[in-house]
Amino acid sequence: MKKILLMTTGLIALGMAPAIAADLAARPYTKAPIAVAAYNWSGFYAGINGGWGSSRQSWYDAGFSLGSHDATGGTVGGQIGYRWQAGTWVFGVEAQGNWADFHGSNVIPLVVPSITNDTRVDAFGLFTGQVGYAANNVLFYVKGGAAVTSNRYRMLASATGAQIANGVDDTRWGGVVGVGLEYGFAPNWSAGIEYNHMFMQDKTYNFVTNGVVFPAGLLLANGRISQDVDIVTARINYKFGGY
């Protein structure tokens, strides 16, 4: 009888062993996810930009309007700067220089023979500070500082396009405010889009006849010209240093 009991107990134990072993099997090992490093906006950078601009030019003489026009066209240039990041905030300084081809004109109202005001902006520069907010590799920023434009002013005979007074080539200084969005698509590379508004001081120029239409040496206009510029550019930057 004892043998029967021992055999029965042994068989039961053998039958339960696989189930107990299954219950005690170790859980499968799961590898921990690899931590992704946060994008770092700190460091020196340099890049290129290109886009479109429009310069609003309003001409006056002794308080009377000589008309207004928009000098529009393309622009291309480069920028260099430095940024430093504190948490999600990014601060920076930047210098930008661009070649431009903004051209426009208007016929002066109620003047006989017809005269055209002609304006070109052939270059501009920006010297700005930046404050931005970074969401990892996406940076939104605002900027502001000083602006400079290189301008050409002419008065032409509308019928022929001939220049009828001295030309004025001048450099103006003013201010700029802007906003931008930049995306870091690789550890050292970023691309973005930026808008800037430049508000330039009014300046007055004397236009003296050159003898082509009117007798030479006459004051044709004591022109006060106001100027604002709007610029939209796409940018690409390379940041020096590690990720």
Side-chain angles (χ1 to χ4, degrees), residues 42-65:
S42 296
F44 287 99
Y45 65 90
I48 58 174
N49 70 81
W52 177 88
S54 177
S55 177
R56 184 66 174 174
Q57 308 279 343
S58 297
W59 294 47
Y60 301 89
D61 185 3
F64 294 97
S65 174

Side-chain angles (χ1 to χ4, degrees), residues 16 20 78 98 103 134 158:
M16 294 177 62
I20 294 171
N98 276 51
H103 178 242
S158 300

Side-chain angles (χ1 to χ4, degrees), residues 75-86:
T75 180
V76 64
Q79 63 275 346
I80 186 169
Y82 180 81
R83 289 178 175 140
W84 58 96
Q85 185 168 354

Side-chain angles (χ1 to χ4, degrees), residues 2-220:
K2 289 182 179 179
K3 290 182 179 181
I4 294 173
L5 290 174
L6 288 171
M7 289 177 64
T8 303
T9 303
L11 290 172
I12 293 172
L14 288 172
M16 294 177 62
I20 294 171
D23 289 341
L24 294 178
R27 293 183 179 180
Y29 173 74
T30 303
K31 191 176 182 179
I34 299 173
V36 178
Y39 195 87
N40 180 13
W41 291 96
S42 296
F44 287 99
Y45 65 90
I48 58 174
N49 70 81
W52 177 88
S54 177
S55 177
R56 184 66 174 174
Q57 308 279 343
S58 297
W59 294 47
Y60 301 89
D61 185 3
F64 294 97
S65 174
L66 302 181
S68 299
H69 58 267
D70 293 323
T72 61
T75 180
V76 64
Q79 63 275 346
I80 186 169
Y82 180 81
R83 289 178 175 140
W84 58 96
Q85 185 168 354
T88 57
W89 293 99
V90 179
F91 306 91
V93 291
E94 183 182 278
Q96 176 180 335
N98 276 51
W99 167 86
D101 186 23
F102 307 160
H103 178 242
S105 61
N106 70 273
V107 176
I108 300 176
L110 306 176
V111 171
V112 179
S114 182
I115 299 174
T116 296
N117 297 328
D118 186 88
T119 303
R120 290 185 181 272
V121 179
D122 53 30
F124 66 87
L126 307 176
F127 306 91
T128 56
Q130 298 180 3
V131 178
Y133 179 84
N136 196 17
N137 62 333
V138 177
L139 175 65
F140 171 80
Y141 61 89
V142 295
K143 61 188 294 187
V148 59
T149 58
S150 175
N151 312 283
R152 299 179 62 196
Y153 304 107
R154 303 289 187 267
M155 300 189 77
L156 312 176
S158 300
T160 64
Q163 187 171 323
I164 61 175
N166 62 294
V168 175
D169 295 342
D170 190 35
T171 299
R172 292 191 183 203
W173 284 89
V176 60
V177 292
V179 61
L181 183 66
E182 199 162 331
Y183 172 73
F185 61 88
N188 294 86
W189 290 95
S190 61
I193 188 168
E194 187 175 283
Y195 164 76
N196 289 291
H197 177 75
M198 302 156 61
F199 40 96
M200 315 304 290
Q201 58 181 323
D202 292 6
K203 294 192 75 172
T204 301
Y205 310 100
N206 288 331
F207 292 91
V208 178
T209 57
N210 58 9
V212 173
V213 173
F214 305 100
L218 301 177
L219 180 63
L220 183 61

